[in-house]
């Protein structure tokens, strides 16, 4: 794991031309990628849902793909950080689209300011935080994390953000608080995918309190030294790098400390396929495919999936004495 504190955001250093974007997209589409994608795209759409959002905002093509700067080019395992282009044009964000390139196009006009996050439930100091307060109140750190989607693709992403524990310490969970429940904005006017009846909107996720307090658990507000774009979950999202990507809920408006284990959107959509814990584990297959290997975006071929996505040393203690097969 690579953790670096940074004082500020640096000036963008390079520019990627639209020509370059189109060329590499074409190249990407030509690759063997869609052998897997055909079956896996359906992975998160158990009921054959295909969102072709009606009445979505007009798509303009001038997506800003100018990266800021990061302090390193690899993760702690020596694997290269994915390009800003990959990270911001290959996304899962069902509120906008179920196509990987859909969120970038359809979220361009998503309003991320003003934005408030309500933190409450079983806490001594509930509060409504303005996104700007969160950015200034807590030091923004750079964290280079692997993101492993349950669909068996992965990336290395240089996030900016702050540990969730800092926010939780501020609101002071009471002794009854056992879990943290997160909620994404619900606004079908700007999130056309929320018209789909296949899912229980808004998107909900949860963590056990000790998982939420682990230092790896990040509230991300930026990546590549720039503020998050809407497709990445702007203005603030969760990042839990040892769990499958669906736990890393985007565009959060509400955080509640609760006593009972929350039911996530994926648990209610397909309980036999998506559990509460969702720890990355090559030994526990998804009911419909193996999790033993993964496709790193930008690479040919596959690589072995690491237990807890390579963060075993930092998080295995959380699951001492617990069956990772039963608690998938
Ligand atoms: N609100 C919301 N959060 C979400 C999702 C989503 O559809 N809606 N998709 C999840 C999934 S399946 C993954 S793999 C990651 C993808 O994050 P990325 O697009 O930034 O790589 O976001 C997660 N967070
Ligand atoms: Mo995912």
């Amino acid at each position: 794991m690579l953790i670096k504190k940074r004082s500020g955001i640096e000036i963008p250093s390079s520019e990627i031309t639209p020509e370059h974007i189109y060329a590499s997209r074409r190249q990407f589409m030509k690759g063997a990628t869609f052998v897997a994608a055909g079956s896996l795209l359906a992975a998160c759409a158990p009921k054959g849902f295909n969102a072709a959002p009606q009445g979505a905002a007009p798509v303009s093509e001038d997506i800003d793909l100018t990266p800021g700067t990061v302090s390193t080019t690899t993760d702690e395992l020596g694997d290269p950080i994915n390009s800003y282009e990959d990270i911001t044009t290959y996304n899962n964000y069902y509120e906008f689209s179920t196509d990987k390139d859909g969120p970038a196009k359809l979220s361009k006009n998503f309003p991320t300011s003003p934005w408030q996050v309500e933190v409450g439930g079983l806490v001594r100091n509930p509060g409504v935080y303005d996104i700007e307060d969160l950015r200034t109140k807590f030091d923004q750190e750079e964290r280079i994390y692997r993101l492993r989607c349950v669909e068996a693709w992965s990336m290395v992403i240089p996030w900016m953000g702050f540990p969730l524990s800092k926010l939780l310490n501020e609101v002071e969970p009471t002794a009854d608080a056992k879990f943290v429940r997160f909620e994404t904005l619900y606004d079908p006017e700007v999130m056309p995918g929320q018209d789909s009846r296949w899912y229980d909107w808004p998107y909900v996720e949860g963590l056990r309190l000790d998982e939420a307090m682990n230092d790896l658990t990040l509230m991300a507000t930026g990546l590549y030294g720039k503020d998050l774009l809407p497709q990445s979950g702007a203005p603030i999202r969760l990042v839990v790098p040892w769990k499958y990507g669906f736990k890393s809920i985007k565009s959060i408006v509400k955080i509640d400390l609760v006593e009972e284990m929350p039911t996530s959107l994926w648990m209610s959509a397909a309980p036999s396929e998506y559990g509460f814990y969702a720890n990355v584990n090559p030994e526990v297959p998804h009911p419909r495919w193996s999790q033993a290997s993964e496709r790193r975006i930008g690479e040919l071929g596959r690589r072995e999936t690491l237990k807890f996505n390579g963060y075993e040393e930092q998080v295995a203690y959380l699951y001492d004495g617990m069956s990772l097969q039963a608690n998938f």
Side-chain angles (χ1 to χ4, degrees), residues 44 92 148-151 153 244-246:
C44 282
N92 269 341
R148 171 46 160 93
C149 176
V150 74
E151 298 164 332
W153 55 267
Y244 291 120
F246 66 83

Side-chain angles (χ1 to χ4, degrees), residues 2 72-83 144-146 154-158 224 294 296-297 299 303-304 306 309-311:
L2 243 166
T72 175
T73 55
T74 67
D75 68 7
E76 83 283 15
L77 304 179
D79 292 318
I81 293 172
N82 277 89
S83 69
I144 315 295
Y145 285 160
R146 292 169 290 285
S154 63
M155 295 201 206
V156 180
I157 302 179
Y224 259 105
E294 67 200 55
R296 178 69 47 86
I297 300 301
E299 287 181 4
R303 47 167 73 220
E304 283 181 14
L306 305 174
N309 205 20
Y311 302 100

